[in-house]
Amino acid sequence: MNFKLLHYFLLVFTVLLVSSCSRDRVSKTNDSRYKIGDRPEWATKNWNDQQWKNKVDVTEGEVFWSRTEVEITKSPESFQHYGVFINTFGEYDVFWDGVLIGENGNPGQETTHDPSGELWATFGIPDTLATKGSHVLALRTSLYYYPDHSRKLYVYVDDYDHLVRSELINTAFMHIFAGAFLLASLYFFFLFLSENKGYPILIFSINCFLFFALIMMEYVKFYVPIHYSQHHIRLEIIGVLTFIIAILTPLYFSLQFPFPKQKIILWIYIGVLIYVFSIQHENHDYTAYNMAMTMWFFSFGIVVFGIYKRMKGAIIVLLALLICALINAITYYDISLFAGFGIILLGMFYILSVRTKEQRLAYEESLVQSTRLRLELLKKNIQPHFLMNTLTSLIDWVEESPQKGVAFIEALAQEFKLFNQIENQTLIPIGQEIELCRTHLNIMEYRKEIKYHWEEENIDPNQKIPPAILHTLLENGITHGLPNDNNSITFKLIFETSDTCKTYTFLTIAKVRDAEKKIIEGTGIKYIKARLTESYASKWSFSSEAIPNGWKNSIKIDN
């Protein structure tokens, strides 16, 4: 990825984001005053509300009034009509300077009527009342479902068409934005299922989907009517989504930039996050903001450690986190939350692309190495030394016993035939590999005049393994093993399986030359490892060690 291109993209994205949310305000709103009761004259503009309070305690579904002084600072232009946007809990009637301009539900009748009305509502202001100067917005309200929310009243005056259309336009753009993350989520999820690429890809996919769901839940309010009694359900869903994202994001960075005592520190972080989630839980925006900040600081620490350890990609991710901090400093919460999460996901995608590239290069290198080692192994089996010894033994057997000489030739021809069949394949049935091993033992019996035995346990001949890896272990056993007192060497292949892995144990039962000598990784072992990497990436392990009666090799393949 081009670092400068990413830098410019993030810069332009930030500038457009900040500039898009700038708009001159045409009104100023003073604090609201409240009073329990129900008198029609409280709607009039000049009613004296100085004795009213700045809060009211509502116990059931009784009616109460609120009066809010709104100053319009700019007269509407020609063909422009002002409207008022109201965000408050309850069902209410709306009065502007004593004139009823709208209804939202059935105030005072909530116990006898089904819930109606919306939490967010826009009402047009008559042109004769939308003049520059001071006005009074009066609401006749009842709060049957959440009486403790009587003080939450937000009022905003602007061009009516803009109030109606702007949020839908913003919602459309945000849905396009969310759709990109939904597609990314599905792509990487199917990539994880089909190629089993690892947990970072799965975490990134889940995070993209959760971010998509978070945007949908935030903006669903602009096209789906939501009654105030249902608003807390939506806020709880948003809080849970934010909580899970706040867990998965640092977990993802911890996998990409490993640090000491990782599990302990992650559990401590989750404990802190649970505390942040539970304290003042009813203040949903405050809780979500604190969870996002906790996630940012913890992720920042992980990435800084990655830079300290000079891990690839850490600097770009740090740049993304710093841009998040900048957006948070110069914009309000709703903008910074989604823009910040979006940029963090871009940083996660970048580091994922870096790691994927590294894995692809490593895989391509393993293919080249596997090809080279395969050629070296084939050359080893047809090199002059091998052919000279084999032909010398063949001459002796032809002179002594023509029948055995013919059998020797047939065994040699069969081994070369099997090699030609398997050398260009990635995986072969283990039954075919065992046939190659048995054929090789027949040849070596003629050459060395040692009795070789082959044994198997729990072998499924249809299971597949990379070609010639057992043959390589067999050759090592023949080369480094001395016959037992009865002039024999036994090779035993054992297969074991579990929910997590498959294990092949290859035993050489013989006297071992230099059992205490340190194992040197020769061409054969390099070939085995290259073949395993080619077929199973990093999901394998290989061990080789001396045992009391010979040598033990283990190949473990993760499911």
Side-chain angles (χ1 to χ4, degrees):
M1 180 178 288
N2 191 316
F3 289 177
K4 290 185 178 180
L5 182 62
L6 177 64
H7 174 76
Y8 290 142
F9 170 77
L10 292 177
L11 182 62
V12 171
F13 176 77
T14 305
V15 172
L16 290 176
L17 187 66
V18 174
S19 62
S20 66
C21 58
S22 59
R23 181 177 174 88
D24 295 335
R25 300 182 69 90
V26 300
S27 66
K28 295 179 181 178
T29 304
N30 295 329
D31 293 337
S32 301
R33 295 175 178 271
Y34 301 86
K35 187 177 180 63
I36 294 178
D38 189 13
R39 296 175 58 181
E41 57 266 29
W42 289 351
T44 58
K45 178 179 181 180
N46 296 321
W47 181 264
N48 184 2
D49 57 14
Q50 295 302 312
Q51 302 300 319
W52 290 27
K53 300 179 180 179
N54 60 359
K55 64 177 182 178
V56 62
D57 296 323
V58 182
T59 56
E60 294 182 355
E62 65 263 45
V63 172
F64 67 94
W65 284 70
S66 65
R67 291 171 57 87
T68 307
E69 184 179 350
V70 180
E71 181 181 356
I72 297 179
T73 58
K74 180 183 177 182
S75 298
E77 299 176 359
S78 300
F79 304 106
Q80 185 181 30
H81 306 281
Y82 278 166
V84 56
F85 171 78
I86 300 175
N87 175 9
T88 188
F89 280 76
E91 299 185 15
Y92 51 84
D93 297 329
V94 185
F95 298 86
W96 183 270
D97 289 344
V99 177
L100 178 66
I101 62 172
E103 298 176 346
N104 187 43
N106 303 288
Q109 304 177 56
E110 292 186 76
T111 57
T112 58
H113 289 69
D114 293 332
S116 62
E118 303 176 24
L119 184 61
W120 302 271
T122 301
F123 304 92
I125 302 174
D127 292 342
T128 56
L129 301 177
T131 58
K132 183 179 181 180
S134 180
H135 302 271
V136 172
L137 174 72
L139 299 183
R140 177 179 176 266
T141 310
S142 65
L143 267 172
Y144 175 72
Y145 296 98
Y146 288 102
D148 57 332
H149 286 62
S150 58
R151 288 176 289 166
K152 294 185 177 181
L153 173 61
Y154 303 96
V155 178
Y156 181 62
V157 175
D158 204 338
D159 177 72
Y160 181 78
D161 290 339
H162 172 75
L163 290 175
V164 172
R165 293 182 303 185
S166 62
E167 296 300 345
L168 292 177
I169 294 173
N170 291 340
T171 300
F173 280 112
M174 289 302 295
H175 278 32
I176 295 173
F177 184 58
F181 288 99
L182 176 62
L183 292 176
S185 170
L186 294 175
Y187 171 78
F188 284 102
F189 179 70
F190 288 125
L191 182 66
F192 171 79
L193 291 180
S194 61
E195 301 186 16
N196 204 7
K197 286 286 188 177
Y199 289 111
I201 285 183
L202 178 61
I203 293 174
F204 179 73
S205 171
I206 295 173
N207 242 11
C208 286
F209 181 78
L210 292 175
F211 186 57
F212 157 79
L214 186 65
I215 294 175
M216 296 299 293
M217 289 306 302
E218 177 64 29
Y219 284 87
V220 69
K221 63 186 180 183
F222 294 116
Y223 54 88
V224 175
I226 298 178
H227 190 260
Y228 78 93
S229 62
Q230 303 167 338
H231 181 53
H232 272 70
I233 299 174
R234 169 180 164 273
L235 292 180
E236 289 291 348
I237 295 174
I238 290 175
V240 171
L241 291 173
T242 306
F243 177 77
I244 299 175
I245 291 174
I247 290 178
L248 293 181
T249 301
L251 176 61
Y252 175 87
F253 287 132
S254 69
L255 294 176
Q256 301 290 12
F257 308 113
F259 51 88
K261 299 181 179 179
Q262 186 168 299
K263 289 185 178 179
I264 296 176
I265 294 176
L266 284 173
W267 278 114
I268 293 174
Y269 167 73
I270 292 175
V272 172
L273 200 64
I274 292 174
Y275 173 76
V276 172
F277 182 70
S278 58
I279 189 174
Q280 297 191 34
H281 181 72
E282 292 300 320
N283 192 344
H284 294 89
D285 286 349
Y286 174 82
T287 299
Y289 178 80
N290 285 342
M291 287 193 296
M293 292 303 297
T294 304
M295 177 195 73
W296 186 92
F297 279 109
F298 194 76
S299 300
F300 182 81
I302 295 174
V303 174
V304 168
F305 179 81
I307 293 176
Y308 172 73
K309 290 295 184 178
R310 298 183 179 180
M311 298 181 187
K312 187 175 292 186
I315 294 178
I316 298 298
V317 178
L318 179 65
L319 176 63
L321 291 175
L322 292 176
I323 292 177
C324 290
L326 174 64
I327 293 175
N328 181 65
I330 61 179
T331 61
Y332 57 90
Y333 169 73
D334 285 344
I335 292 290
S336 63
L337 178 66
F338 294 103
F341 274 157
I343 292 175
I344 287 176
L345 283 172
L346 287 176
M348 294 170 67
F349 175 71
Y350 168 76
I351 194 63
L352 186 62
S353 67
V354 170
R355 297 291 181 262
T356 302
K357 181 180 179 181
E358 291 176 349
Q359 292 175 1
R360 179 176 56 81
L361 292 176
Y363 175 72
E364 291 176 354
E365 183 181 352
S366 73
L367 290 180
V368 173
Q369 185 183 26
S370 176
T371 302
R372 178 176 58 82
L373 291 172
R374 185 172 65 245
L375 293 174
E376 289 185 5
L377 192 67
L378 185 59
K379 182 177 68 176
K380 177 183 176 183
N381 282 276
I382 61 174
Q383 63 181 321
H385 179 70
F386 173 80
L387 287 178
M388 183 181 66
N389 290 338
T390 302
L391 292 174
T392 300
S393 300
L394 178 60
I395 291 171
D396 293 339
W397 280 108
V398 169
E399 292 178 348
E400 294 179 10
S401 175
Q403 267 190 332
K404 290 187 177 180
V406 172
F408 191 0
I409 294 172
E410 290 177 346
L412 185 62
Q414 178 67 12
E415 180 170 22
F416 282 122
K417 178 184 176 181
L418 289 171
F419 258 111
N420 288 332
Q421 290 176 353
I422 68 174
E423 64 165 334
N424 292 319
Q425 298 184 45
T426 303
L427 294 169
I428 64 171
I430 195 170
Q432 193 174 11
E433 176 80 359
I434 291 174
E435 183 183 358
L436 176 64
C437 292
R438 288 181 179 275
T439 303
H440 189 69
L441 289 179
N442 289 337
I443 294 172
M444 299 311 294
E445 279 190 0
Y446 286 112
R447 277 188 50 186
K448 294 182 175 286
E449 297 187 26
I450 298 174
K451 190 64 178 177
Y452 294 104
H453 300 284
W454 178 269
E455 297 179 0
E456 303 167 12
E457 185 177 317
N458 298 328
I459 299 300
D460 179 2
N462 296 319
Q463 286 280 346
K464 292 190 174 183
I465 61 170
I469 61 173
L470 297 181
H471 181 275
T472 303
L473 294 176
L474 182 73
E475 278 198 325
N476 287 345
I478 293 173
T479 302
H480 301 289
L482 296 174
N484 294 313
D485 295 338
N486 60 355
N487 194 39
S488 69
I489 297 178
T490 300
F491 299 97
K492 186 173 183 179
L493 179 63
I494 304 170
F495 175 72
E496 298 172 302
T497 184
S498 67
D499 294 336
T500 58
C501 66
K502 297 181 293 186
T503 303
Y504 292 95
T505 303
F506 190 85
L507 301 175
T508 301
I509 302 173
K511 297 177 182 178
V512 180
R513 296 189 183 101
D514 301 324
E516 302 297 327
K517 186 177 179 180
K518 184 178 180 181
I519 300 173
I520 299 175
E521 189 174 287
T523 302
I525 301 300
K526 289 180 180 178
Y527 171 81
I528 292 172
K529 291 184 176 180
R531 277 297 201 179
L532 290 171
T533 301
E534 177 187 17
S535 299
Y536 307 110
S538 61
K539 297 183 176 182
W540 61 270
S541 62
F542 174 79
S543 63
S544 185
E545 60 182 343
I547 56 176
N549 59 341
W551 200 266
K552 175 183 177 182
N553 300 282
S554 293
I555 299 173
K556 184 180 292 184
I557 301 168
D558 297 337
N559 291 332

